[in-house]
Amino acid sequence: MGAGDRVGPAVAEVCPVVSVRQPAKVLRTTFHKRVNTDACRAARITAFHLIPVGPPKEGMLLLRLALPRPARLVLVSVTLLLALALLAAVAPSAAEADVPPSMSEGWTPYDGGSLLLPADYEHTNSMPLELMVDYFTTGTPRVRWETSVVPTVPLCTQQANRPAWISAEQFRAAVVYAVDQWSEAEARVGFNYTGDCLTASPTWRFENNLNEIGWDDARDVVRSPAAAITQGAWVIGLNARPFAEADIIFDHLLNVPEQCFLSTMTHELGHVLGLGHSSAFGDLMYPSFNSADVSTCPPGPSAGERQAVQALYGVNRKPVFDGQRPRTAVAGSRVTLSAVAMDPDGDALTYAWTQVGGPSVAMTPSGPTLTFVAPDREGVTLQFRVEATDRYLHRADASITVRVQEASSPPRSAPSLGALTAGAKHMLMEWSTSEAATEYEFCSAATGGGRPSCVRQDSPLAAVTWDTVLRDAVEGGPRRIFTTGTRETSMRACNDEGCSPVGVGPHAGGLRWTAYDVDYDYFAMAYDVPGSSMRFTIVGVANIDGPARRVSLYSGPEDDPTARRILNCGNVRAGQVCIGLLSPSDRGHAAFATVVSERSGTPTLEHRIRIR
């Protein structure tokens, strides 16, 4: 208390004194080390006094209320000290908690201020009234991060004044560890730790809109015997109090076992999320630990503390991978691995691939797939790790092992057509890969007969490069019909022992007409299951470049090739693909597939492709 304080002795000695100096807009709450429960309950802490404001003292919660302009929200800065002993909403009473029977020396408060020991809870049925505080601070709504706008809380570390017993990398690893522990809580919030802070200042600063984790210095904000403090700032709105900043400062003289340091880091990040302290001995958010007994340094939040974070933010579950079986690959072959995770909440996922074992290979990752060329020698084993993260950076990972062996026979399975996409200059056709293949053979021949042209390549990917090219505008009828220009395509998987059966591809072609700014590719194929009545008809178009064209897809006999409309694509813009399908349950599987495209001021273009 500052000079001139006027508080009755019964309250001043045993209870928190809440004081407000309105001109400076400063609210102070001081908690004393030992609290007489009955006296505080009787006082009810209802006395407010106008007093001079002196410098902050140990064991004090300091709130600075800045009032910029009437229409703006108020930003509040709070230094959280351990003396507050803030309770998580799920914390049980002392009678229910597992309380040790006695206390020995060596206990340290995580955050500073008063030291609350297990013995303080003996012979009481509940915590003192003034300590029954939910989450980070009193009042409603609760202070929390607004994760509907930015789903993760950014963090960075400041290395200045770091003690010699911990390296910079160990300090960073401790943050990663703590972030992972809270990620396991599966709440609708996450941390995004980016490493050391990229700031002009070599050390931490309060109220700089960065969430920094650093070490104390001459400013002496961490008071012995505390291990650290967490200071938060938030905006006061009508129906919300979102965090604007939170900083964690460790005592630069701190020297505790690794487990206790990791526990302290994780404890402080609990405060950054908005949690207070727990009265349950054994909880991560319990106010104190004993460095002589690492069992008092919990590795992560308890089930109750995870529920408290979920109550504050809502639930968001982490992604899940199915079990990944070991794979085999032929030496020198091109290999594609696929590991698709499922997100229970339907969040979009981001994938990251790393090689963790075996001779290094050049990796080409693409979302849930990874492509590489296996080493040329047999008998080696490759190991890969894939990680999937959702928007809150909740993680799931899977490991895949690939054994490299020599080919003993040709690939058995024919590649199957898997994707048709609009590339930068041509439509791309992609077949499936084969684990036994070292290369692939792509062939094409003019529809209706002709000598095939084949090329060996290292991937089952081919482009439609045989466009029909027209330059000048034409006079006459408004409709142009094309019955040539397509080629039948196929792909085989090969190795030193031979090639697989042929994997059939589509009849494909393209049209480039400079005068009308036309550049699109088209395709069609039939797949009739041998020995059955099952039929499939597929037809489509890929607009490579130029203005959108209205496209319709048809099936019909030679004398009426547009008898059955399969799909009205509408306007197909540059870079888009439209595909129509007739399944076995549909009628109209005919000998011809037809693509019709239109745009005002240009001829109507019709491509008739014989597929049966």
Side-chain angles (χ1 to χ4, degrees), residues 444-450 466 483-489 506-509 522 524 592 608-612:
S444 67
T447 298
W466 47 88
T483 58
T484 61
T486 61
R487 297 179 70 87
E488 300 178 52
T489 62
H507 301 252
Y522 54 95
F592 279 79
R608 300 176 180 178
I609 311 155
R610 177 179 284 278
I611 57 175
R612 289 184 173 90

Side-chain angles (χ1 to χ4, degrees), residues 442-477:
F442 173 68
C443 297
S444 67
T447 298
R451 185 175 181 179
S453 172
C454 298
V455 60
R456 290 289 181 99
Q457 54 192 46
D458 62 2
S459 73
L461 186 69
V464 178
T465 59
W466 47 88
D467 293 342
T468 298
V469 179
L470 303 175
R471 290 182 174 82
D472 300 329
V474 295
E475 297 182 2

Side-chain angles (χ1 to χ4, degrees), residues 409-435:
S409 62
R412 296 180 180 179
S413 300
S416 58
L417 185 67
L420 295 147
T421 58
K425 295 182 178 180
H426 306 283
M427 183 179 71
L428 303 177
M429 302 174 290
E430 184 173 2
W431 282 259
S432 62
T433 59
S434 170
E435 291 182 351

Side-chain angles (χ1 to χ4, degrees), residues 25-47:
K25 300 299 181 187
V26 175
L27 172 64
R28 288 182 177 180
T29 305
T30 303
F31 290 91
H32 296 263
K33 182 173 293 187
R34 289 288 184 267
V35 180
N36 182 309
T37 305
D38 294 335
C40 289
R41 284 175 175 161
R44 299 292 183 184
I45 319 176
T46 56

